[in-house]
Amino acid sequence: MAAHHPPSNSRYVPRTHASDDELSRWREQRARVGARVAELTEKGICYQCEELSTGLVLGPQSLVLDEPDVRVALAADPRAPGHTIVVWKAHVQDFTSLEDADITRLFTVCRDVAKALRAALSGVERVYQVSMCDGPVNHLHIQLIPRYSDVPIGSQRLVDPPGAAS
């Protein structure tokens, strides 16, 4: 029997709410991750570099792309369904430290992932690109946050608390 495949023009409609059990598990995982990040930061260790070298900081991730210079994963604490993190693997504090070719590579990846999110997720009108590296130990990463057609335009969506949207 042939496998059922949706029409190529169909788009995924993400869930916007998690069950109480999912939320409980998510909160426990986020507390563990938060404690580990705080411990590393207190020691002056970049948690992103530690994650990239050991894989023992953030827990299981849904990787989208993992290449020598960049890693792309769905956010473990999404602010919207499809929230994606693009991490530049070399340790730099922000994009102003990158060479022109590296900036081109990083933002090309961001553009391509944003286009894929818009194409794959039903209702995505825009994908916000956010980079706010302002902690005591910074590591360049870009957050791609979809904005859905039923969410008002403006920055309020970016200040919603992280949650277990999936």
Side-chain angles (χ1 to χ4, degrees), residues 19-151:
S19 71
D20 289 344
D21 192 45
E22 288 172 313
L23 285 171
S24 177
R25 286 193 309 272
W26 174 82
R27 286 185 183 107
E28 289 171 7
Q29 172 68 14
R30 295 315 304 152
R32 285 191 297 273
V33 168
R36 180 70 175 133
V37 167
E39 173 188 322
L40 291 168
T41 300
E42 189 174 301
K43 294 177 182 178
I45 298 170
C46 172
Y47 81 88
Q48 286 284 7
C49 288
E50 184 73 13
E51 172 63 27
L52 288 167
S53 67
T54 68
L56 299 175
V57 179
L58 301 176
Q61 294 186 55
S62 297
L63 290 180
V64 175
L65 177 73
D66 194 4
E67 294 188 352
D69 56 351
V70 67
R71 175 180 283 176
V72 180
L74 294 176
D77 57 349
R79 295 183 182 259
H83 181 174
T84 304
I85 309 295
V86 179
V87 177
W88 188 254
K89 286 187 173 182
H91 184 86
V92 295
Q93 292 205 9
D94 64 45
F95 71 93
T96 63
S97 302
L98 295 178
E99 299 295 324
D100 290 350
D102 294 337
I103 289 172
T104 298
R105 167 72 172 143
L106 175 62
F107 286 96
T108 297
V109 168
C110 289
R111 180 204 58 207
D112 292 349
V113 172
K115 283 182 174 183
L117 290 169
R118 287 180 70 182
L121 300 174
S122 182
V124 173
E125 285 189 352
R126 297 183 183 169
V127 177
Y128 293 121
Q129 179 179 294
V130 182
S131 176
M132 296 185 293
C133 301
D134 60 356
V137 181
N138 297 319
H139 188 115
L140 175 59
H141 65 283
I142 309 288
Q143 299 189 42
L144 301 176
I145 305 173
R147 184 182 65 75
Y148 291 84
S149 57
D150 60 344
V151 175

